[in-house]
Amino acid sequence: MATVTKEAVLEKLRTVNDPELHRDLVSLNMIKEVAIEGARVRIHVELTTPACPLKDQIAADVQRAVSTIPGVRGVDLEWSAQVRGAPQPRPQLSGVKNILSVGAGKGGVGKSTIAAMIAMGLRRAGASVGLLDADVYGPSIPTLMGIEGVQPKVSDKMLLPIEVQGIRTMSVGVLVERDRPMVLRGPMLHGILRQFLDQVEWGELDYLVVDLPPGTGDVPLTLAQSIPQTGAVIVCTPQDVALADARRAIMMFRQLNVGILGIVENMSYYLCPKCGHRDELFDHGGAARAATEMDVAFLGEIPLNATVRAFCDAGAPDKLFTETPDYVRRAVDAMVHKVAGRVSVANLLQAQGPKLTVE
């Protein structure tokens, strides 16, 4: 029987590419250990995100490649994940690997709901996650995360995020009275954002998800000028007016040199729970077409469903992943995994050189 060597295994693994990063696992430093145990090979693969959308494909490709080595009678895989990111210049964000903005060209498209879904999905996958509600005009995160009326604690003049279901959360909505209108001018907005960035003890995070106000105003501009962002997720609904505004949001982020992680089509369709009839209330497929036209990734379509509204109103976003109908769960989970994958791609492209972009 032929003797299996570590070198032979690594040579085969150099032929296996990460399906999204399009480079081999060895050069990406994703192979952490190769052990030969008789006729069996044990390989430790370190993913770039615990929410890797193509883990099964990587496993199948590794199994297929290594099994062709003479003498190999089995391949055992071990997995871990290490989220990668760029260092942040602001001291209070030095432990944050990735900052993801969630924006929309107009209000009413479910942007905050998508932000909460992304944060919760990444946390459930095993990542350390923060959620910053920068929608100072209409903060929805306190309702979505079930922290209305909860006051953040202060330690050494630093605000401590409210930890809810493992997510470190901060919102202007917990700092002011519930029904108090936020009447703010540009300098005041800048001051609030500066406080969120410099006076909140975020700690070590794989991802900080930022829920932006809708539109193309002062907040995304201030944020882009203040901190490097891994990229932005654009949320829209299928109808033409929402798509037109989404295109403007994409152009704004590009002008600010913020990469676009992709577009999510929210309220994509309605599936009757009694008869199964599918109704496309706001049209359908417009976001996918816009993504193609704008040369950005399409991150998925989230259906319109009463359980999504109910769990979000109840401040229980974790139940979107456990107690919604199967097709809703699959759509939400797939969207989160695609976002995580696009973050890994963005980090690789940024590491390769400043001239490359996410798109």
Side-chain angles (χ1 to χ4, degrees):
M1 180 180 293
T3 301
V4 182
T5 66
K6 179 178 179 180
E7 289 72 22
V9 174
L10 288 173
E11 192 61 31
K12 284 294 182 181
L13 291 173
R14 288 188 179 93
T15 70
V16 179
N17 282 354
D18 181 289
E20 283 199 308
L21 304 181
H22 304 297
R23 280 178 51 190
D24 71 272
L25 304 184
V26 177
S27 68
L28 286 169
N29 197 29
M30 292 172 63
I31 304 300
K32 294 303 177 182
E33 183 183 4
V34 173
I36 312 300
E37 300 167 351
R40 299 192 69 84
V41 178
R42 178 168 52 83
I43 303 171
H44 181 176
V45 182
E46 182 182 84
L47 302 171
T48 57
T49 172
C52 179
L54 297 170
K55 177 181 176 181
D56 290 343
Q57 183 177 337
I58 294 173
D61 291 346
V62 169
Q63 292 269 2
R64 188 180 305 111
V66 177
S67 294
T68 63
I69 300 174
V72 171
R73 295 292 179 266
V75 180
D76 301 312
L77 295 179
E78 297 176 351
W79 301 93
S80 63
Q82 180 65 40
V83 177
R84 305 174 187 185
Q88 292 289 336
R90 301 178 88 93
Q92 293 309 317
L93 295 172
S94 61
V96 178
K97 295 179 181 178
N98 295 284
I99 296 178
L100 319 181
S101 293
V102 181
K106 65 185 294 295
V109 299
K111 168 188 53 62
S112 298
T113 299
I114 297 298
M117 284 180 181
I118 293 172
M120 181 56 65
L122 292 171
R123 180 67 190 97
R124 285 175 57 84
S128 54
V129 181
L131 178 57
L132 169 58
D133 186 0
D135 190 350
V136 292
Y137 299 118
S140 302
I141 293 302
T143 299
L144 291 165
M145 299 301 292
I147 57 172
E148 284 187 316
V150 179
Q151 293 294 308
K153 297 180 180 179
V154 178
S155 176
D156 294 329
K157 299 182 180 180
M158 296 292 294
L159 286 169
L160 302 181
I162 301 167
E163 187 155 326
V164 50
Q165 300 179 46
I167 299 172
R168 298 170 200 169
T169 308
M170 182 57 65
S171 169
V172 70
V174 301
L175 301 177
V176 299
E177 296 177 14
R178 177 178 177 179
D179 297 324
R180 177 183 172 184
M182 298 297 290
V183 183
L184 302 169
R185 295 186 182 273
M188 299 171 69
L189 291 170
H190 185 79
I192 291 173
L193 275 181
R194 189 170 60 246
Q195 183 177 17
F196 281 151
L197 299 177
D198 293 337
Q199 297 178 21
V200 176
E201 194 64 64
W202 289 108
E204 301 288 329
L205 293 176
D206 293 322
Y207 306 95
L208 176 60
V209 180
V210 182
D211 179 25
L212 295 175
T216 56
D218 285 343
V219 174
L221 175 61
T222 298
L223 193 67
Q225 293 173 335
S226 302
I227 52 174
Q229 298 173 61
T230 308
V233 173
I234 306 300
V235 182
C236 65
T237 47
Q239 67 265 46
D240 289 344
V241 64
L243 291 168
D245 290 329
R247 289 186 177 93
R248 280 190 281 272
I250 289 172
M251 294 306 298
M252 175 199 69
F253 281 111
R254 283 177 168 165
Q255 289 177 10
L256 296 174
N257 293 318
V258 177
I260 307 299
L261 297 173
I263 301 177
V264 178
E265 182 172 279
N266 195 28
M267 304 182 225
S268 184
Y269 61 91
Y270 175 74
L271 199 64
C272 178
K274 295 183 179 179
C275 69
H277 173 71
R278 174 169 168 151
D279 197 348
E280 297 171 351
L281 298 172
F282 304 113
D283 203 351
H284 178 260
R289 293 191 296 273
T292 300
E293 293 169 7
M294 302 289 288
D295 193 24
V296 300
F298 180 56
L299 301 173
E301 50 189 38
I302 307 301
L304 186 66
N305 185 269
T307 60
V308 174
R309 189 271 311 160
F311 291 139
C312 289
D313 284 352
D318 56 315
K319 293 185 178 180
L320 299 175
F321 298 84
T322 59
E323 298 185 27
T324 52
D326 287 346
Y327 73 97
V328 176
R329 281 202 303 273
R330 288 194 299 269
V332 173
D333 200 51
M335 181 269 295
V336 171
H337 281 70
K338 287 180 180 177
V339 170
R342 295 306 300 169
V343 170
S344 295
V345 172
N347 283 322
L348 177 64
L349 294 178
Q350 290 170 4
Q352 287 177 339
K355 292 184 180 180
L356 294 174
T357 61
V358 171
E359 297 86 14

